[in-house]
Amino acid sequence: MTAFDYDLFVIGGGSGGVRSGRLAASLGKKVAIAEEFRYGGTCVIRGCVPKKLYVYASQYSEHFEDAAGFGWTVGERRFDWKALVAAKEQEITRLEGLYRKGLAGAGAEIFDTRAELVGPHEVRLSASGKTVTAERIVIAVGGHPTPHEALPGHELCISSNEAFDLPDLPRSILIAGGGYIAVEFANIFHGLGVETTLIYRGKEILSRFDQDVRRGLHAAMEEKGIRILCEDIIQSVSAGPEGRRTARTMKHGELVVDQVMLALGRVPNTRGLGLEAAGVKTNERGAIMVDAYSRTTAPGIYALGDVTDRVQLTPVAIHEAMCFVETEYKNNPTSPDHDLIATAVFSQPEIGTVGMTEEEAARTFEEIEVYRAEFRPMKATLSGRKEKMVIKLLVNAADRKVAGAHILGHDAGEMAQLLGISLKAGCTKDDFDRTMAVHPTAAEELVTMYRPSYRVRKGERVA
Ligand code: NDP
C-alpha cells in the first residue's frame, strides 16, 4: 500500500500524457490524469489531425482543375467553410471521446481541470482546489504558438489555434514564418481560395530542410499563386478598414489583408505550473530540462513531449511516454531514441524526409554521393500541371550507407515512413539498388538511380 493517493499523476491530456497514463493504468497502477482544455491535446484538437483534414479539403480545387485533362467536366464548384469547420469538429470530438474511453477503460481517473504542482509529490486541481499526492508525476502539458509580444499589434493577429475555427474564411491572409505551420497553412488557405502571402525572414523557406526540397517547394507554391516574401519581416500590425489588418513590412511596404497569422514557432506551456515549488528546472526557453530517461531535476517528476522541447512531434511524445513506462514500470530502462526521425510537411506538394540534409552530410563525411532525380509526375502529364517531383538520396561514400533521403511530391509523407525503416536499419545504397522497382510509381526512382548525380568531397562539389 503506497502512502500516496496515486502511483502516477499525469498533467496534460495530449499525445504523451494520455499514452503514459493509459499504459501505466493498464499495468494496474493507480493513475489520474488532468487536462484543462480537451483530451487529445494539440495534435488531435488543433494540430496534426484537423490540419490534415484541412489539407484534404484544400486539395479539391486542384483535383477539380486536373480532372479536365482526364476527360471529366466538373460542374459549378462552391466551398462552404462553415461546413468544413463543423465536419472537423465532429471528427475531433469523436477522437477526443476515444482518448477518454481508452483512459477510462484502462482504469485511469480522468479530471477536467488545470493541475499545478505545489510540492515534490503534490498536485493541486484548480477546479476543486483539492490537493492530491502521487508517487510519480508526469508533466506533458505541451506548448503554444509563440505570441511574438515584441511585434506591435500582435494581439490583432491569429495563430494556428484560431485558424481552424475562424467564423468566416478570410478573402486574404498574410502568414509570418517559414516553418512547418506557416508553409502548411499557406497551402491550405490558398487551396481554399484565399489570396495568400507568406513572409519569412530567411533567404529560403523551411530552414532545417534540404536545399533542393526547399527551392522546389518555393517554386511550386509561387507557380500556384502563393506570394512568398523572403528576407522580410512584419514590423507592425494595425486595425485597417472594415475589420481588416494593415501589416507594415520592412521591405514590401504595407499589406492590407483580412487576417495576419503568426507561425513563428511554439513555446513550452511551463508558466504558472508550480515548477519552482517542486524543484523542476527549466532552460532559457522555458522548456523543462530532462535527462535521457525523461527525468526532471526533481526526483519522481518526469516530463514528456513538447514541454521538454526535444523534438516537437507527436510520435516523439508518444515514444517518450512508452519509454517512461518501460523504464519506471517494467524494470526495463529505455531511453528515447531521437535519431533518424522521419517527418513530413503537408505542404502541396508534400515533403517527406529522413536523415541528414546535403549540407549536414557534406559536413559530416569526407565524401558523399548525391543521387538526385527531378521529374514531372505521371499525373501531371495529362492534368497539364507544371509541377516537378524531387527525389534525393545522400550516401556516405566510405560505407555506402544512405545518410539522408528527401522527397518533394505527392505522397512524400507516406514514402518517408518507409524510408525511415530503411535508414534506421542502416541500409546501404547497394541494398536500394538490389531492390526491385514498383512500377509505375514515383517511388521507383528511389531504387533506380544507379549513378550519382554528383559527389561532394571535403565540402567541395565534384563531378
Ligand atoms: P518552426 O520552428 O517549424 O518554424 C518557425 C518559423 O518562424 C521559422 O521559419 C523561423 O525562422 C521563424 N521565426 C522564429 N522567430 C521569428 C521571429 N522573431 N521573426 C520572424 N520569424 C521568426 O515552427 P512552427 O511554428 O512552424 O511549428 C512548430 C513545431 O510544430 C515545428 O517545429 C514542428 O516540430 C511541429 N509541427 C510539425 C508538423 C508536421 O510534422 N507536419 C506540422 C506543424 C508543426 P528561422 O527558420 O529563420 O529560424
Side-chain angles (χ1 to χ4, degrees):
M1 195 43 203
T2 155
F4 300 101
D5 297 329
Y6 299 101
D7 296 316
L8 175 66
F9 196 101
V10 181
I11 308 179
S15 304
V18 168
R19 183 61 65 99
S20 48
R22 182 167 62 74
L23 289 184
S26 69
L27 293 171
K29 301 294 164 195
K30 191 170 184 218
V31 176
I33 180 166
E35 163 62 48
E36 65 178 327
F37 182 51
R38 292 177 69 178
Y39 278 87
T42 300
C43 171
V44 172
I45 307 299
R46 45 194 181 190
C48 324
V49 172
K51 180 272 306 289
K52 190 88 188 270
L53 296 173
Y54 283 21
V55 168
Y56 286 132
S58 67
Q59 286 171 337
Y60 281 95
S61 49
E62 286 194 359
H63 292 333
F64 295 141
E65 282 169 19
D66 292 355
F70 294 89
W72 289 92
T73 302
V74 178
E76 193 200 340
R77 292 161 257 168
R78 241 177 305 118
F79 172 67
D80 182 343
W81 168 252
K82 288 187 168 67
L84 174 65
V85 174
K88 176 272 296 179
E89 190 50 40
Q90 201 176 357
E91 175 56 8
I92 65 171
T93 302
R94 185 184 74 84
L95 293 173
E96 186 184 359
L98 289 180
Y99 269 64
R100 285 176 177 274
K101 205 169 153 194
L103 284 165
E109 195 173 340
I110 302 171
F111 291 105
D112 288 282
T113 173
R114 180 172 173 81
E116 292 168 9
L117 297 164
V118 282
H121 292 278
E122 288 179 338
V123 178
R124 189 177 49 230
L125 307 176
S126 305
S128 60
K130 197 175 149 196
T131 297
V132 297
T133 60
E135 184 182 18
R136 289 182 177 81
I137 296 170
V138 160
I139 306 171
V141 293
H144 61 276
T146 180
H148 198 18
E149 276 153 4
L151 174 71
H154 68 91
E155 68 286 351
L156 298 170
C157 303
I158 60 166
S159 71
S160 55
N161 282 353
E162 293 75 38
F164 289 113
D165 294 298
L166 289 172
D168 297 297
L169 184 68
R171 279 159 300 158
S172 58
I173 192 163
L174 172 64
I175 302 178
Y180 282 86
I181 296 179
V183 163
E184 290 179 341
F185 271 94
N187 283 279
I188 289 171
F189 280 119
H190 170 77
L192 297 178
V194 180
E195 192 187 315
T196 304
T197 307
L198 187 78
I199 183 163
Y200 171 53
R201 65 179 174 185
K203 267 196 166 56
E204 187 55 279
I205 55 171
L206 290 173
S207 58
R208 279 167 283 165
F209 288 76
D210 187 86
Q211 274 293 349
D212 273 299
V213 296
R214 295 169 66 186
R215 276 196 290 261
L217 179 64
H218 185 142
M221 285 171 65
E222 282 192 329
E223 172 69 29
K224 287 177 201 290
I226 299 171
R227 190 172 175 216
I228 302 181
L229 313 175
C230 282
E231 297 187 273
D232 199 359
I233 52 165
I234 302 176
Q235 290 178 313
S236 68
V237 177
S238 54
E242 294 162 22
R244 305 187 84 201
R245 303 283 178 250
T246 302
R248 193 162 53 81
T249 66
M250 195 173 67
K251 288 189 178 166
H252 291 86
E254 280 190 354
L255 305 176
V256 180
V257 289
D258 284 350
Q259 295 285 358
V260 177
M261 174 172 161
L262 303 181
L264 305 172
R266 294 176 59 83
V267 284
N269 283 333
T270 43
R271 220 181 262 176
L273 208 56
L275 297 179
E276 264 180 39
V280 176
K281 290 214 171 93
T282 54
N283 67 16
E284 65 291 347
R285 290 188 308 278
I288 295 179
M289 290 159 64
V290 286
D291 70 5
Y293 295 93
S294 301
R295 292 183 290 226
T296 70
T297 47
I301 304 186
Y302 306 78
L304 311 168
D306 287 5
V307 76
T308 64
D309 198 17
R310 285 176 279 190
V311 184
Q312 295 178 0
L313 295 171
T314 298
V316 174
I318 292 172
H319 173 72
E320 288 165 0
M322 294 191 330
C323 291
F324 158 77
V325 170
E326 206 62 35
T327 305
E328 297 300 324
Y329 294 124
K330 291 188 170 177
N331 199 22
N332 177 27
T334 309
S335 170
D337 175 1
H338 293 114
D339 193 29
L340 286 171
I341 298 170
T343 170
V345 183
F346 293 98
S347 46
Q348 300 169 40
E350 239 167 73
I351 290 176
T353 179
V354 55
M356 295 182 188
T357 63
E358 181 178 331
E359 281 177 6
E360 285 165 345
R363 265 200 313 271
T364 309
F365 304 116
E366 171 97 4
E367 181 177 325
I368 59 166
E369 294 167 7
V370 180
Y371 296 81
R372 187 185 182 284
E374 185 168 343
F375 56 95
R376 203 170 176 206
M378 197 175 184
K379 191 176 169 197
T381 55
L382 295 200
S383 71
R385 197 164 287 287
K386 278 198 215 137
E387 67 177 44
K388 289 279 176 63
M389 185 139 186
V390 177
I391 291 190
K392 188 169 174 185
L393 292 178
L394 304 164
V395 175
N396 176 8
D399 61 9
R400 310 274 300 139
K401 274 197 182 162
V402 179
H406 308 278
I407 301 177
L408 173 74
H410 291 290
D411 299 325
E414 304 287 340
M415 289 185 234
Q417 181 63 84
L418 305 178
L419 284 165
I421 303 171
S422 313
L423 266 68
K424 204 77 188 159
C427 288
T428 63
K429 181 63 170 58
D430 307 311
D431 295 320
F432 277 61
D433 290 348
R434 62 194 178 82
T435 300
M436 198 70 80
V438 178
H439 185 71
T441 63
E444 67 185 298
E445 291 293 328
L446 286 165
V447 297
T448 54
M449 297 187 290
Y450 299 113
R451 294 172 60 80
S453 309
Y454 56 92
R455 292 162 191 273
V456 182
R457 196 176 296 141
K458 291 191 169 54
E460 294 289 320
R461 182 168 164 161
V462 292

